[in-house]
Amino acid sequence: MPEWLGEERDGYLTLALIPGIGAARLRSLLAEFDTPNGALLAPFERICAVPGFGAAAATAIGRVDRRSGGRVMGQLETLGGHLLLPGDRRFPERLAEIPDPPTCLFGLGNLELLERPAVAIVGSRDHSSYGGEVCRAVARAAAERGIAVVSGMARGLDAVAHAGALDAGGPSMGVLGNGLGVVYPAANRLLYGRMREAGLLLSEFPPGERPHAGSFPRRNRLISGLARIVVVIEAAVASGALQTVACALEQGRDVLAVPGPITSPVSAGTNRLIRDGAAPLLELADLLGYFPEVPNLEGARGTAEAGGLPPVAGRIVNALWTGPRRVEELVDASGAPVGAALDALSSLELSGRVRLERGGLYRLVTPALFG
């Protein structure tokens, strides 16, 4: 697609923002009429004759305010933002290849982050302390290695993921379900400012547009589309995070899910994902295996075979993902003789991966797994 400039850029934006047009119809229009303004000025009958068009779509084009694209550009420039169109060298190729690609993107912040390898981290708005701890650790570990952390700027684990990446001095991209300049939810105002200064905010909605019921499902396909892999930390059975998983699978992206307590409603969705075939995220090597180009990969994998723990220690760690356990439970879970199980547990404790708490319960120390 040509790189539209000036009045043709404004005309393209006018067409792109007409409800119901979409990428496929827009390509058909440009193939038929050569330029955006050629399509805007085309007679009703000729538009109706374009494949995929009917009277309703032709009427919408005929009634649109042709100056609307120019006004949107003015609002974007006031915010200090950038317009990205398909064919622009800065438009992310990963999004151009997904089903139902965006017709345009509005960006605020560092556009160079679009060139980074990226992981999407999503999860529950009403998360547990365990979920917050894991999310922060995964985001920090990824960001410290230059992997951009993508999420949806919602409250809960989205916000934790963005903050974890920024706190580590690493890259983060936030995909909005509203236009730039609108802070939603209001509680994320400080985070919005941090992302604008040190990260990148992206939206396919024009500046100033408020969120609505359909905007968040559309946002989800962009979150997964920008990433090489999607990590789900916590998700209830009906969680919006699982909509992002569905988008990821449709786009051919891999999904990692963090196991959680089987008694926790916010882990019910992630546990089912694992049951149904998603790979579990148990340690940093599980994530970094998808990013062979990142630095210090071999060091992060450790000495165990395939980047994992020795078998007995691994089974103990897996048992602890579902919550604190007594020593006798861990011995049973290890599948090893008592002496070998206790040796493995001692090694995990000395390495900082597990800790013994009051009441004789062992607990997994998540940051040690992702440090």
Side-chain angles (χ1 to χ4, degrees):
M1 184 179 293
E3 187 170 342
W4 305 110
L5 301 173
E7 290 184 359
E8 291 297 349
R9 177 206 60 193
D10 294 350
Y12 177 96
L13 197 52
T14 297
L15 285 171
L17 295 177
I18 296 174
I21 291 297
R25 280 180 165 176
L26 191 50
R27 284 194 297 268
S28 296
L29 279 176
L30 296 176
E32 180 70 22
F33 300 110
D34 296 328
T35 68
N37 283 314
L40 285 169
L41 295 171
F44 176 85
E45 293 77 11
R46 282 200 62 192
I47 296 177
C48 286
V50 175
F53 279 80
T59 299
I61 292 172
R63 290 179 176 175
V64 71
D65 182 348
R66 296 173 191 160
R67 297 169 296 179
S68 59
R71 287 197 295 271
V72 168
M73 282 303 305
Q75 293 173 301
L76 185 64
E77 291 166 0
T78 298
L79 288 171
H82 307 275
L83 175 66
L84 303 177
L85 300 181
D88 186 325
R89 60 180 178 79
R90 302 173 301 177
F91 192 90
E93 290 183 12
R94 285 168 288 189
L95 291 185
E97 298 167 353
I98 66 172
D100 189 20
T103 56
C104 60
L105 288 172
F106 303 96
L108 189 60
N110 183 4
L111 294 180
E112 293 181 3
L113 299 189
L114 291 169
E115 301 174 7
R116 299 285 189 93
V119 55
I121 300 178
V122 296
S124 175
R125 286 174 170 80
D126 301 310
H127 61 86
S128 69
S129 58
Y130 161 79
E133 183 181 13
V134 174
C135 184
R136 190 174 297 105
V138 175
R140 286 185 64 92
E144 285 170 354
R145 289 159 177 82
I147 301 169
V149 172
V150 184
S151 200
M153 288 295 290
R155 65 179 177 87
L157 290 181
D158 282 20
V160 172
H162 291 305
L166 295 175
D167 289 345
S172 188
M173 294 186 283
V175 184
L176 305 178
N178 48 262
L180 297 175
V182 176
V183 180
Y184 182 87
N188 280 350
R189 184 169 298 278
L190 179 60
L191 177 61
Y192 187 99
R194 293 185 68 192
M195 289 290 290
R196 176 175 180 165
E197 295 301 319
L200 175 63
L201 294 169
L202 289 171
S203 177
E204 64 181 327
F205 303 105
E209 182 164 318
R210 301 291 303 177
H212 52 82
S215 61
F216 295 107
R218 292 194 60 76
R219 173 205 62 179
N220 292 342
R221 84 192 197 288
L222 302 186
I223 294 173
S224 57
L226 284 165
R228 189 176 300 177
I229 187 167
V230 174
V231 174
V232 191
I233 304 294
E234 281 184 330
V237 172
S239 172
L242 298 184
Q243 296 175 2
T244 307
V245 169
C247 294
L249 296 176
E250 182 183 14
Q251 295 162 358
R253 307 295 194 259
D254 287 313
V255 175
L256 287 174
V258 174
I262 61 174
T263 56
S264 171
V266 292
S267 285
T270 46
N271 289 341
R272 289 187 184 185
L273 286 174
I274 294 169
R275 180 197 65 189
D276 295 338
L281 176 57
L282 301 178
E283 58 181 350
L284 180 57
D286 295 333
L287 173 63
L288 292 187
Y290 292 90
F291 299 93
E293 73 275 30
V294 304
N296 301 320
L297 178 58
E298 293 305 318
R301 283 180 172 170
T303 59
E305 182 180 354
L309 294 165
V312 176
R315 287 192 288 270
I316 290 174
V317 167
N318 287 347
L320 286 170
W321 273 107
T322 60
R325 293 288 183 266
R326 297 189 180 279
V327 65
E328 55 270 24
E329 295 175 286
L330 296 176
V331 169
D332 289 342
S334 73
V338 174
L342 293 177
D343 287 345
L345 185 58
S346 177
S347 295
L348 289 169
E349 189 174 6
L350 288 172
S351 69
R353 292 182 180 242
V354 303
R355 65 170 178 260
L356 178 62
E357 299 185 334
R358 287 185 299 177
L361 291 173
Y362 282 90
R363 179 183 293 275
L364 192 63
V365 182
T366 307
L369 293 175
F370 297 97

